[in-house]
Amino acid sequence: MNEPNETINRPPLHTWTPRALYIHIPFCTNKCFYCDFNSYVAAGQPIDAYLDALENEMKLTVEALPPTVIDTVFVGGGTPTVLNPIQMARFLASVKRHFPLADDVEFTMEANPGTTDMEKLAAMREGGVNRISFGAQTFDDGLLERIGRIHAAQDVIQSIANAKAAGFTNLSIDLMFGLPNQSLQQLKDSVTKALELDLPHYSLYGLKVEENTLFHRLYQRDELPLPEEEDELAMYEHLMERLGEAGYRHYEISNFARPGYESKHNTTYWHNEPYYGLGAGAHGYALGVRHMNIKGVQPYIDAANKALPRLEINEVSLEEAMGDFMMVGLRLEEGVAEHSFARQFAGASLEETFGPALRKLVAQGLLEKVGSPEGYRLTAQGILLGNEVFGAFI
């Protein structure tokens, strides 16, 4: 473990106002077997009351920390597209009412295949959404059923066609690998079908068995037949190879894009920069302070109608912020830059702060020093062993 130099002055972190906005819609059509996100089956939920409370949190947020301009908005969940067209239009109007969006704002909404008909897509377009990320996960119907998804592969294809017909051009899908009983051939087939959609962005995630999920309970009972580690590695290497051959840049460990279509909002996180976080269970980071909101739907509604609905507020120490900068920044293909580190930490240098850890990781062949801009990035081997690298900066 490497400790930052204690003699560095302790300036306030992130003296600039967030230019990124995350909003959480916690409702879903159903709960997937692997999901540990703060989400609830929408049937019977007080969705309109939630949107009322969410708008009040918007009002209180901009009063407490007035924004200058918002460059990126990301609406996640849950499945935000479970909102009906009237609710969707109302929600998006409230965002515009309270936050000054840049003319070229990147406005992303997560969606599940099968939840975006043409009327809803029109409401999204009218409300300012210009990027959609669909949770496809796999194009194998048997695997979809096995992980608790209620859509079929054809729903993904139809949802993408609908989105393109509605005028959306900035589209992404999520694929998962390392699923129970998933073979390398099944993954190859899914990648082929994904690439046939000709999208500008793909996110590719290995399954993580999280606590408080059905998969975790099955795993504890030794009833979750996951692929062997070497098979999962082969899947990841195949993904990198196929997407690279198709002309996509592997700009972050789990993300591939055509030039200019990298996720600007998520890049805020990877640069460890501040962002507003609104909604039940949402996290935010501003002026060196992280917060997490109350999670439950009704408790959130009750709290947000009175005050900012905080569950936890934590001041981030300089050491923790520096470690976070390294862990998230090294996920990017470009790595971490000396000038960005100095900007966030009042002129501090990577070498003075993390010299021993950096030299060790370079010697192990997991990091390499780069010159323009000056900094460090993962090697090809480091990409495969990212957690070992990130752990050096905790």
Side-chain angles (χ1 to χ4, degrees):
M1 191 180 295
N2 191 70
E3 291 294 332
N5 189 330
E6 285 288 350
T7 63
I8 295 171
N9 291 329
R10 293 176 173 271
L13 300 175
H14 298 148
T15 54
W16 64 95
T17 308
R19 299 171 69 98
L21 168 64
Y22 175 81
I23 304 175
H24 194 74
I25 305 293
F27 308 113
C28 269
T29 49
N30 68 301
K31 191 79 170 174
C32 299
F33 300 161
Y34 55 84
C35 176
D36 75 331
F37 294 139
N38 187 46
S39 61
Y40 307 88
V41 176
Q45 293 285 354
I47 295 178
D48 288 301
Y50 180 85
L51 295 178
D52 288 339
L54 185 58
E55 176 153 19
N56 200 53
E57 189 189 359
M58 294 181 198
K59 173 178 169 287
L60 295 172
T61 296
V62 299
E63 287 173 358
L65 184 59
T68 51
V69 66
I70 298 297
D71 293 325
T72 69
V73 181
F74 195 104
V75 184
T79 306
T81 49
V82 300
L83 298 181
N84 65 39
I86 294 171
Q87 291 167 335
M88 180 68 73
R90 173 190 165 201
F91 161 64
L92 293 173
S94 69
V95 176
K96 284 184 174 178
R97 191 155 47 244
H98 294 284
F99 289 93
L101 305 185
D103 291 340
D104 62 346
V105 64
E106 177 196 82
F107 199 135
T108 303
M109 183 170 284
E110 289 184 333
N112 270 356
T115 63
T116 50
D117 59 24
M118 297 306 291
E119 185 183 2
K120 194 173 298 182
L121 287 164
M124 290 162 63
R125 283 273 291 173
E126 179 67 25
V129 176
N130 54 28
R131 183 175 185 271
I132 306 177
S133 177
F134 286 97
Q137 316 316 356
T138 175
F139 284 84
D140 184 291
D141 284 342
L143 278 176
L144 284 169
E145 189 175 342
R146 213 171 295 148
I147 64 176
R149 303 292 286 185
I150 61 170
H151 74 267
Q154 184 57 37
D155 294 326
V156 181
I157 296 166
Q158 186 60 53
S159 293
I160 293 293
N162 287 348
K164 288 181 177 180
F168 289 93
T169 56
N170 196 350
L171 300 168
S172 177
I173 60 171
D174 293 350
L175 287 180
M176 296 179 73
F177 61 96
L179 299 172
N181 286 321
Q182 185 180 27
S183 67
L184 179 57
Q185 187 57 52
Q186 284 174 314
L187 178 79
K188 289 179 178 180
D189 293 342
S190 279
V191 175
T192 297
K193 290 173 180 173
L195 288 173
E196 286 172 357
L197 294 172
D198 192 29
L199 302 179
H201 190 282
Y202 293 91
S203 297
L204 310 160
Y205 301 106
L207 173 68
K208 289 189 176 69
V209 179
E210 305 283 4
E211 289 187 17
N212 303 315
T213 64
L214 175 61
F215 272 3
H216 187 258
R217 294 192 289 279
L218 293 174
Y219 182 77
Q220 286 182 312
R221 299 202 301 259
D222 200 25
E223 295 175 7
L224 192 68
L226 298 175
E228 297 294 328
E229 194 172 322
E230 57 268 28
D231 294 330
E232 190 170 346
L233 180 60
M235 291 180 188
Y236 184 54
E237 290 177 324
H238 178 77
L239 289 165
M240 289 192 290
E241 180 183 345
R242 290 286 300 282
L243 272 293
E245 287 173 351
Y248 293 86
R249 184 166 79 90
H250 191 186
Y251 74 99
E252 191 271 346
I253 279 183
S254 298
N255 288 276
F256 296 76
R258 289 190 179 133
Y261 286 93
E262 299 84 358
S263 170
K264 294 176 185 174
H265 182 85
N266 288 338
T267 300
T268 297
Y269 303 147
W270 298 321
H271 285 160
N272 197 43
E273 293 182 339
Y275 56 94
Y276 293 101
L278 287 83
H283 294 246
Y285 187 27
L287 303 181
V289 175
R290 292 192 186 275
H291 79 256
M292 181 172 73
N293 276 352
I294 290 167
K295 289 187 172 185
V297 173
Q298 194 60 51
Y300 167 82
I301 291 170
D302 294 342
N305 280 329
K306 298 172 187 170
L308 288 171
R310 301 297 188 243
L311 178 64
E312 293 179 9
I313 299 175
N314 298 298
E315 190 168 341
V316 178
S317 70
L318 184 62
E319 291 78 15
E320 183 183 351
M322 287 175 162
D324 289 344
F325 178 96
M326 299 301 288
M327 286 190 293
V328 293
L330 286 170
R331 295 183 60 89
L332 290 164
E333 177 197 48
E334 69 204 42
V336 294
E338 187 72 60
H339 70 85
S340 296
F341 191 76
R343 173 178 174 244
Q344 286 208 29
F345 304 115
S349 87
L350 289 170
E351 297 287 349
E352 290 174 9
T353 309
F354 290 114
L358 291 169
R359 287 189 289 273
K360 180 180 178 183
L361 291 164
V362 169
Q364 291 173 331
L366 301 178
L367 280 186
E368 61 185 1
K369 193 168 184 178
V370 292
S372 184
E374 188 177 342
Y376 291 85
R377 69 182 180 196
L378 293 175
T379 62
Q381 183 67 9
I383 290 172
L384 301 178
L385 298 172
N387 287 339
E388 289 188 27
V389 178
F390 309 144
F393 302 100
I394 295 175

